[in-house]
Amino acid sequence: MQFLKLVLRNALRHKLRTALTLLGLVVAILSFGLLQTVVDAWYAGAAGAAPTRLVTRNAVSLVFHLPLSYRDQIRGVDGVRAVSYATWFAGIYQDPKNFFPQFAVEPRTYFAMYREYVVAPEEFAAFLRDRKGAVVGRKLADTYHFKVGDVLPLRGTIYPGTWEFTVRAIYDGVDTKTDTSQMFFHWEYLNETIKKRAIRQTDQVGVYLVDVTDIDRVAEVSRAIDAVFKNSLAETLTETERAFQIGFVKQTEALVIAIRIVSYVVIVIILAVMANTIAMTARERLCEYATLKTLGFSPAYIAALIFGESVAIAASGAVIGIVATFPVAAWFAAKVGTLFPVFEVSGETVALQIVCALGVGIAAAVVPGRRAATVKIVEGLRAIG
């Protein structure tokens, strides 16, 4: 108890210096938490992927579609439980900055496969009845204030023209990690319309979604599907949904790496500030440490005092920074809208914040602690003058 009292008194001896150091720690821990959460948000799609779901696309590129006739052939592969399909639409709602994912899907098989999307039965039935109906996620609906019955106009980029959809249902996620920033509509509506407009790519789909019966047969089924279409006009590449999602993240990997580096640079900078503060404090008290040695206190006890003061300041900054991370992250998520489908501070991020703060507290006290523990009594007492 006496030791803790000494640590706290030492930490509060220069209140302004301690307050400024604490402020720096709070900003650093907060920034680190936000940057790590941004990185996590980048990988949210891969993290939420089901292990038994496969994605089959054109082996050349996603730009090239696959014939609708492939559906029955894929369904016939041993180990396949269900097949659905989707096509990326890429429409613009009012302004190009209002980006959100839009997919034309076969609704019955798609929503049966993606059980994490929870839709009220009566709304889903209304969606099935309306060929121009759409299902939007809760986050998307909240961002743009969509309600059931609203008309949602989109300006097509891949498929030219103005497309109007009626919001028939709003889906929720089975948990907070489910992406609820997407829009789905009938693939039949897309296909019939492009037939009338004499646009190419009729009776073609962007990707096939395949549900495998046994998780241990995922690789085997993937190879079997691709073997079916080998040497065809449109060869396929089948991979797990997680690998498919990570493939998109890889395209911006340099940006993700830069964010990770910046987050750790912030910690290194605050380590330098903290080390300077503790070194300054220890240097000013050399005579006091020499007096303690004269009274019989061991070098280890003196070093522990310095380590205790450093860790106390770091821990205080970590607590405030971690607590502040949650409301700031919520505010940031609201500001960026649907740019990040899932933006949550994870337990891993909080653990990293704690480890970094404690690491800074301990590392900053190494040199001053060793200096105070090894200083000679005469040398320390002379420092007063």
Side-chain angles (χ1 to χ4, degrees), residues 3 289 298-309 365-366 368-370 372-374:
F3 175 78
Y289 299 140
S298 67
Y301 185 86
I302 293 169
L305 279 177
I306 296 174
F307 272 93
E309 181 180 349
V366 169
R370 183 175 180 278
T374 58

Side-chain angles (χ1 to χ4, degrees), residues 133-212:
V135 179
V136 298
R138 180 67 62 186
K139 184 173 184 178
L140 180 60
D142 291 343
T143 301
Y144 297 106
H145 310 292
F146 294 147
K147 300 185 298 297
V148 173
D150 285 354
V151 174
L152 199 167
L154 295 178
R155 177 159 50 87
T157 53
I158 299 175
Y159 307 99
T162 300
W163 301 68
E164 288 193 344
F165 304 92
T166 304
V167 178
R168 293 299 179 192
I170 297 175
Y171 75 88
D172 291 288
V174 71
D175 56 37
T176 56
K177 293 184 178 179
T178 304
D179 183 359
T180 58
S181 63
Q182 304 175 89
M183 169 191 166
F184 303 100
F185 62 94
H186 292 266
W187 179 86
E188 284 293 343
Y189 172 52
L190 174 69
N191 195 48
E192 290 172 3
T193 306
I194 61 179
K195 274 182 182 176
K196 293 176 186 173
R197 297 180 183 179
I199 303 174
R200 299 177 63 183
Q201 299 179 338
T202 57
D203 293 331
Q204 294 193 340
V205 302
V207 294
Y208 284 100
L209 297 317
V210 181
D211 195 16
V212 179

Side-chain angles (χ1 to χ4, degrees), residues 362-381:
I362 293 171
V366 169
V367 175
R370 183 175 180 278
R371 164 70 174 152
T374 58
V375 68
K376 294 179 181 176
I377 294 176
V378 174
E379 186 182 342
L381 291 175

Side-chain angles (χ1 to χ4, degrees), residues 352-367:
L352 278 174
Q353 287 176 298
I354 294 172
V355 169
C356 288
L358 292 179
V360 166
I362 293 171
V366 169
V367 175

Side-chain angles (χ1 to χ4, degrees), residues 55-335:
V55 178
T56 300
R57 64 177 177 87
N58 192 301
V60 177
S61 169
L62 269 174
V63 174
F64 301 103
H65 288 185
L66 295 171
L68 181 61
S69 59
Y70 279 18
R71 174 185 51 185
D72 295 334
Q73 292 174 270
I74 294 174
R75 190 183 291 145
V77 173
D78 184 36
V80 172
R81 175 162 43 203
V83 180
S84 187
Y85 48 90
T87 298
W88 175 255
F89 184 70
I92 295 173
Y93 175 65
Q94 294 180 342
D95 190 283
K97 68 180 182 181
N98 298 333
F99 169 81
F100 55 86
Q102 306 130 19
F103 296 96
V105 301
E106 197 297 301
R108 293 183 188 277
T109 54
Y110 189 89
F111 282 92
M113 189 180 297
Y114 285 79
R115 290 178 286 276
E116 59 265 41
Y117 300 152
V118 181
V119 191
E122 61 276 13
E123 291 185 359
F124 190 64
F127 166 62
L128 292 178
R129 287 193 298 270
D130 184 0
R131 187 63 63 90
K132 296 175 67 175
V135 179
V136 298
R138 180 67 62 186
K139 184 173 184 178
L140 180 60
D142 291 343
T143 301
Y144 297 106
H145 310 292
F146 294 147
K147 300 185 298 297
V148 173
D150 285 354
V151 174
L152 199 167
L154 295 178
R155 177 159 50 87
T157 53
I158 299 175
Y159 307 99
T162 300
W163 301 68
E164 288 193 344
F165 304 92
T166 304
V167 178
R168 293 299 179 192
I170 297 175
Y171 75 88
D172 291 288
V174 71
D175 56 37
T176 56
K177 293 184 178 179
T178 304
D179 183 359
T180 58
S181 63
Q182 304 175 89
M183 169 191 166
F184 303 100
F185 62 94
H186 292 266
W187 179 86
E188 284 293 343
Y189 172 52
L190 174 69
N191 195 48
E192 290 172 3
T193 306
I194 61 179
K195 274 182 182 176
K196 293 176 186 173
R197 297 180 183 179
I199 303 174
R200 299 177 63 183
Q201 299 179 338
T202 57
D203 293 331
Q204 294 193 340
V205 302
V207 294
Y208 284 100
L209 297 317
V210 181
D211 195 16
V212 179
T213 55
D214 187 349
I215 190 172
D216 294 330
R217 299 187 62 190
V218 164
E220 172 194 343
V221 173
S222 299
R223 290 192 295 269
I225 293 173
D226 292 339
V228 170
F229 306 106
K230 193 170 181 60
N231 297 323
S232 67
L233 289 177
E235 293 189 359
T236 60
L237 173 64
T238 303
E239 54 194 345
T240 62
E241 189 179 46
R242 178 181 173 79
F244 181 75
Q245 296 284 354
I246 288 179
F248 281 100
V249 177
K250 289 286 185 185
Q251 296 176 16
T252 56
E253 191 174 23
L255 183 59
V256 176
I257 292 174
I259 293 173
R260 282 192 192 278
I261 291 173
V262 169
S263 68
Y264 285 102
V265 166
V266 169
I267 295 300
V268 172
I269 290 173
I270 196 58
L271 170 62
V273 173
M274 186 79 177
N276 182 59
T277 300
I278 299 301
M280 193 185 304
T281 301
R283 190 168 56 247
E284 290 173 354
R285 296 177 194 156
L286 270 183
C287 66
E288 296 177 23
Y289 299 140
T291 303
L292 288 175
K293 281 187 173 181
T294 306
L295 294 174
F297 287 94
S298 67
Y301 185 86
I302 293 169
L305 279 177
I306 296 174
F307 272 93
E309 181 180 349
S310 180
V311 170
I313 295 173
S316 302
V319 170
I320 300 172
I322 291 170
V323 170
T325 301
F326 289 90
V328 173
W331 173 82
F332 181 79
K335 287 295 179 185

